[in-house]
Amino acid sequence: MAARAYWQGQIRLALVSIPVEIYAATKSGAQIAFHQIHQPSGKRVRYEKTVPGIGPVDPEDIVKGYELSKGDYVLLQPDEIEAVKLESKKTLELTQFVDASEIDVLYYERPYYVVPADDLAEEAFIVLREALRRTRKVGLGQLAMRGREYVVSLKPCGRGMVLETLRYADEVNRAQSYFRDIEDAKPDAELLDLAETLIEKKTAPFKPDSFHDRYVDALERLIEKKKKSKGRRIIEEEEEGTVARGSNVIDLMAALKKSVGSGTAASGSKPAAKKAPAKTPAKTATRKTPAKPASRKRA
């Protein structure tokens, strides 16, 4: 069954209109769904919509209301809300173009695939896609979907384009209020070199399918054990050798050196700065001196 378009309309650039369809680019991953259960009876807890003094009500009798004052509402019918005149319900007008780097990652919310609605729209669609690609710009506009108007960005993606909804400025908390107590200081040069080496060692191409939800896996194992235990309580013990992630690093230098590992620095690093101080290995070197010639002879 073909996917259903999330939005249908047109992209407008000046006097050019391009009919398009928008599809959700993401989906919910695997997850474990829990229900609330009344433990003594083992039955599921249900919820009913009720009105004080009246009791349970039918869903068809429920409408949306805006509270003017305590207990005083303006009631709106679904067709009244649907009839609100807003051009962006059917048209995404590109009103500005910016460099992608100008949009902070905090503003990005959700991605959608954009495709031409028909063969006639394809030529104009391709022209816009390639113009964005060559200029390395992102188009901005506003689009109304599912009862809300969004700021959106538009950029090339393979043969198509990707539209991403953006958060409004008042939806993003200012970073300064969280970061202001962090000391504005330069890190120790050797510590920084060690950290860079560790990053280089762990650098690899991004492969999304190499990651999966380990929490879901653990819950599935727990459910399977619980099913076989006949109700016995099961608390998984922490595996031996597991490092407590929340513990403080007392000796940052020692921890970084241990993480990097002796003689395994990545290429392109700065070995001189990353070596341990000469004082520390002096005694170790004298103990290992007899072993070195033997290893060379075997080589």
Side-chain angles (χ1 to χ4, degrees), residues 36-38 43-47:
Q36 289 189 321
I37 305 298
H38 179 237
K43 293 182 178 180
R44 184 176 169 184
V45 176
R46 301 286 182 175
Y47 293 91

Coordinates of all heavy atoms in Angstrom, one line a residue, residues 36-38 43-47:
Q36 N -1.6 0.3 32.4 CA -1.8 0.4 33.8 C -2.7 -0.7 34.2 O -3.8 -0.8 33.7 CB -2.3 1.8 34.2 CG -1.2 2.9 34.0 CD -1.7 4.2 34.6 OE1 -2.9 4.5 34.5 NE2 -0.8 4.9 35.3
I37 N -2.3 -1.5 35.2 CA -3.1 -2.7 35.7 C -3.4 -2.6 37.1 O -2.6 -2.2 38.0 CB -2.3 -4.0 35.4 CG1 -1.8 -4.1 34.0 CG2 -3.1 -5.2 35.9 CD1 -3.0 -4.1 33.0
H38 N -4.7 -2.9 37.5 CA -5.1 -3.0 38.9 C -4.5 -4.3 39.5 O -5.0 -5.4 39.1 CB -6.6 -2.9 39.0 CG -7.2 -3.0 40.3 ND1 -8.0 -4.0 40.8 CD2 -6.9 -2.2 41.4 CE1 -8.3 -3.8 42.0 NE2 -7.7 -2.7 42.5
K43 N -6.7 -6.7 36.3 CA -7.4 -6.1 35.1 C -6.9 -4.7 34.8 O -6.4 -4.0 35.6 CB -8.9 -6.0 35.5 CG -9.6 -7.4 35.6 CD -11.1 -7.3 35.9 CE -11.7 -8.6 36.0 NZ -13.2 -8.5 36.3
R44 N -7.1 -4.4 33.5 CA -6.5 -3.1 33.0 C -7.4 -1.9 33.5 O -8.6 -2.0 33.6 CB -6.6 -3.1 31.5 CG -6.0 -1.9 30.8 CD -5.9 -2.1 29.3 NE -5.6 -0.8 28.7 CZ -5.5 -0.6 27.4 NH1 -5.8 -1.6 26.5 NH2 -5.2 0.6 26.9
V45 N -6.7 -0.9 33.8 CA -7.3 0.4 34.3 C -7.8 1.1 33.1 O -7.0 1.4 32.1 CB -6.4 1.2 35.1 CG1 -7.0 2.6 35.5 CG2 -5.9 0.5 36.4
R46 N -9.1 1.5 33.0 CA -9.7 2.3 31.9 C -10.0 3.7 32.4 O -10.2 4.0 33.5 CB -11.0 1.6 31.5 CG -10.8 0.2 31.0 CD -10.1 0.1 29.7 NE -10.0 -1.3 29.2 CZ -9.5 -1.7 28.0 NH1 -9.1 -0.7 27.2 NH2 -9.4 -2.9 27.7
Y47 N -10.0 4.6 31.4 CA -10.3 6.0 31.7 C -11.5 6.4 30.9 O -11.7 6.1 29.7 CB -9.1 6.9 31.3 CG -7.9 6.6 32.2 CD1 -6.9 5.7 31.8 CD2 -7.7 7.3 33.4 CE1 -5.8 5.5 32.6 CE2 -6.7 7.1 34.2 CZ -5.7 6.2 33.8 OH -4.6 5.9 34.6

